[in-house]
């Protein structure tokens, strides 16, 4: 076996490399150093490594590391970036793996660099001569912001495999569905005038009142039409999150802007929804003299759904003893689905720990994760028999 560091040292090394993704340019970093380290380990372990730089962003890359070849196969996937941390609110250094109270503290322990180390730990002990189907380790860029890494995979049409596990924090319970999300700004431009004579202006705030009526009616329609009881909130949601308009009570409000988010269920297409949203609002504002403009605050993540009867779903349900669930957070899963993989979200961390000060991973989760991944790799890539 190649001389890779022990598991805890690999986790420590990944946590020590800052790889923060943020919409705030002052906090935003690349993930390239994390990708290079993983590529070195996996290259030493006999994988062929392909580093895919993001177009125009040399500090950001995806890693596709492959052992074995041929059709079928399994992808173990994780993102190599983290969210920013709250300065001053951590009791431990976010970049120094700290073992205390049977926990590993550090930024990215739960979400989700530790999973990448666990996948390497499993992959290093697999011999390519034993493989009947390939084992692919995938690490991605910018999951926490734009999903640019996952989008680049789709653009390159790689990697290909039959099954995928994404090790996002699910407390080792399998997840096969999540909602999507997109965010939109709606800007209305009227014109101002003295409040004493409404005919002098065109009130954007009153126009927004009409727009909100349209949105709430549309929400009722969507919630009557779409429902999935597997989700804790079984209907699509549309939230009015932010509004700003006007400046003074004695002036006709000249402009108003509203920000919303919409979280569709699987089967609802984000581009179609965005188009319908804009059409309905344009129609409401027709012949009012109000100028309406739209902006995508967040392009969006599609909803994900892997069929309950998919072999990988059945397999991890049997191995974990838990029925596959639906969750409220988004992942890179829909992009792997687009690449043709039956995808399950299943990782050792807890979502309550993610994006929090003093993020940790319970030490007791390490061994069961290695066991679980080993069994999946054996079943999918080595035994060569039908999964079930
Ligand atoms: Zn994550």
């Amino acid at each position: 076996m190649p001389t890779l560091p022990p598991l805890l040292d690999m986790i420590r090394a990944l946590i020590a490399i800052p790889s923060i993704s943020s919409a705030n340019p002052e906090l935003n970093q690349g993930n390239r150093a994390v990708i290079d380290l993983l590529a070195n380990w996996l290259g030493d372990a006999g994988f062929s490594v392909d580093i895919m730089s993001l177009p125009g962003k040399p500090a950001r890359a995806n890693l596709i590391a492959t052992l074995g070849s041929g059709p079928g196969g399994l992808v173990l996937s994780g993102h190599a970036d983290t969210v920013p941390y709250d300065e001053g609110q951590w009791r431990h250094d976010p970049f120094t793996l700290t073992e205390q109270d049977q926990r590993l503290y550090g930024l990215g322990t739960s979400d989700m660099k530790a999973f990448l180390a666990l996948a390497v730990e499993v992959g290093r002990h697999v011999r390519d001569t034993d493989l009947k189907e390939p084992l692919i380790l995938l690490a991605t860029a910018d999951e926490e912001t734009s999903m640019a890494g996952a989008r680049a995979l789709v653009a390159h049409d790689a990697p290909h495999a039959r099954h995928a596990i994404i090790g996002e924090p699910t407390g080792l319970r399998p997840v096969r569905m999540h909602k999507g999300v997109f965010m939109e700004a709606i800007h209305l431009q009227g014109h101002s005038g003295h409040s004493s004579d409404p005919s002098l202006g065109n009130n954007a705030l009153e126009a927004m009142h009409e727009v909100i009526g349209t949105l709430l009616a549309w929400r009722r329609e969507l919630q009557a039409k779409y429902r999935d009881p597997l989700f804790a909130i079984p209907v699509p949601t549309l939230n009015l999150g932010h509004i700003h308009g006007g400046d003074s009570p004695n002036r006709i409000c000249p402009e108003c802007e509203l920000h919303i988010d919409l979280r569709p269920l699987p089967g609802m297409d984000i581009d179609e929804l965005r188009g319908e949203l804009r059409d309905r609002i344009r129609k409401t504002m027709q012949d009012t003299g109000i100028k309406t403009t739209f902006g995508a605050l967040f392009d969006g993540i599609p909803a994900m759904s892997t069929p309950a009867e998919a072999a990988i779903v059945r397999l991890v349900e049997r191995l974990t003893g838990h029925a596959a669930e639906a969750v409220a957070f988004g992942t890179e899963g829909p992009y792997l689905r687009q690449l043709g993989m039956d995808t399950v979200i299943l990782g050792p961390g807890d979502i309550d720990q993610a994006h929090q000060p003093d993020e940790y991973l319970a030490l007791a989760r390490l061994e069961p994760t290695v066991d679980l991944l080993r069994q999946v790799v054996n079943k999918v890539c080595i035994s060569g028999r039908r999964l079930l």
Side-chain angles (χ1 to χ4, degrees):
M1 283 299 140
T3 51
L4 266 58
L7 174 62
L8 276 185
D9 288 346
M10 289 197 289
I11 298 176
R12 181 174 294 111
L14 293 175
I15 298 298
I17 303 172
S19 58
I20 291 169
S21 282
S22 173
N24 177 350
E26 281 173 22
L27 301 177
N28 205 10
Q29 302 168 318
N31 72 339
R32 183 59 195 257
V34 176
I35 293 295
D36 287 344
L37 183 58
L38 289 166
N40 284 340
W41 289 336
L42 289 163
D44 286 349
F47 285 66
S48 68
V49 295
D50 174 16
I51 294 176
M52 179 195 290
S53 290
L54 265 52
K57 296 177 175 172
R60 298 173 147 66
N62 297 322
L63 172 68
I64 304 173
T66 307
L67 194 69
S69 59
L74 172 71
V75 163
L76 300 177
S77 180
H79 56 84
D81 60 326
T82 71
V83 288
Y85 61 98
D86 298 301
E87 191 106 45
Q89 292 196 41
W90 280 65
R91 285 182 297 122
H92 311 88
D93 176 6
F95 302 107
T96 304
L97 190 74
T98 307
E99 192 178 330
Q100 197 180 311
D101 307 325
Q102 297 300 306
R103 293 167 171 175
L104 296 173
Y105 288 93
L107 180 64
T109 46
S110 236
D111 187 15
M112 55 174 291
K113 288 173 170 175
F115 177 81
L116 292 170
L118 288 157
V120 174
E121 175 66 20
V122 171
R124 73 197 282 185
H125 293 291
V126 177
R127 284 183 309 190
D128 58 353
T129 48
D130 290 338
L131 289 176
K132 297 202 171 56
E133 295 186 20
L135 171 64
I136 301 166
L137 265 60
L138 179 63
T140 61
D142 284 5
E143 188 273 347
E144 296 288 4
T145 45
S146 60
M147 301 257 172
R151 291 178 208 274
L153 294 173
V154 173
H156 281 79
D157 195 26
H160 282 278
R162 176 89 178 76
H163 319 277
I165 292 177
I166 302 178
E168 291 278 9
T170 67
L172 284 179
R173 299 166 78 99
V175 166
R176 66 177 182 86
M177 290 173 110
H178 63 66
K179 286 185 180 173
V181 58
F182 71 89
M183 298 174 191
E184 187 85 343
I186 301 148
H187 186 92
L188 303 183
Q189 178 76 54
H191 65 91
S192 61
H194 197 279
S195 62
S196 59
D197 182 355
S199 74
L200 294 174
N202 195 346
N203 195 314
L205 201 42
E206 291 187 19
M208 191 61 88
H209 175 76
E210 299 298 321
V211 166
I212 288 174
T214 297
L215 288 173
L216 297 186
W218 187 42
R219 183 172 72 185
R220 277 193 294 277
E221 280 178 44
L222 290 174
Q223 293 183 340
K225 190 169 166 194
Y226 297 97
R227 167 170 287 270
D228 190 324
L230 210 57
F231 286 90
I233 311 295
V235 289
T237 56
L238 187 163
N239 181 57
L240 310 179
H242 166 98
I243 192 165
H244 183 82
D247 47 39
S248 171
N250 60 358
R251 239 163 67 85
I252 294 168
C253 171
E255 53 188 318
C256 187
E257 184 163 306
L258 174 68
H259 296 179
I260 66 163
D261 90 347
L262 198 154
R263 294 175 185 257
L265 288 167
M268 302 171 73
D269 183 83
I270 283 186
D271 293 334
E272 279 172 28
L273 288 166
R274 182 172 258 134
E276 182 163 2
L277 167 85
R278 293 180 177 188
D279 283 349
R280 285 186 180 228
I281 291 172
R282 276 194 202 103
K283 215 164 157 192
T284 305
M285 289 296 101
Q286 217 172 354
D287 305 325
T288 60
I290 296 282
K291 184 165 171 264
T292 311
T293 47
F294 300 93
L297 295 166
F298 176 53
D299 283 342
I301 307 168
M304 183 190 89
S305 176
T306 296
E309 61 277 11
I312 189 74
V313 173
R314 293 280 170 80
L315 176 64
V316 296
E317 285 182 330
R318 186 161 60 70
L319 293 175
T320 61
H322 294 291
E325 299 170 358
V327 294
F329 56 89
T331 71
E332 296 174 319
Y335 302 98
L336 299 193
R337 295 282 295 133
Q338 281 181 48
L339 287 166
M341 295 171 228
D342 283 341
T343 303
V344 176
I345 319 298
L346 174 62
D350 289 307
I351 195 67
D352 296 351
Q353 280 306 310
H355 305 195
Q356 296 292 320
D358 292 313
E359 176 183 344
Y360 67 81
L361 176 65
L363 269 172
R365 292 279 170 79
L366 297 182
E367 214 181 289
T369 306
V370 169
D371 281 352
L372 176 70
L373 294 179
R374 251 183 212 144
Q375 292 185 71
V376 176
V377 170
N378 280 333
K379 200 79 186 163
V380 174
C381 304
I382 295 176
S383 83
R385 292 193 303 269
R386 285 173 56 86
L387 278 191
L388 294 168

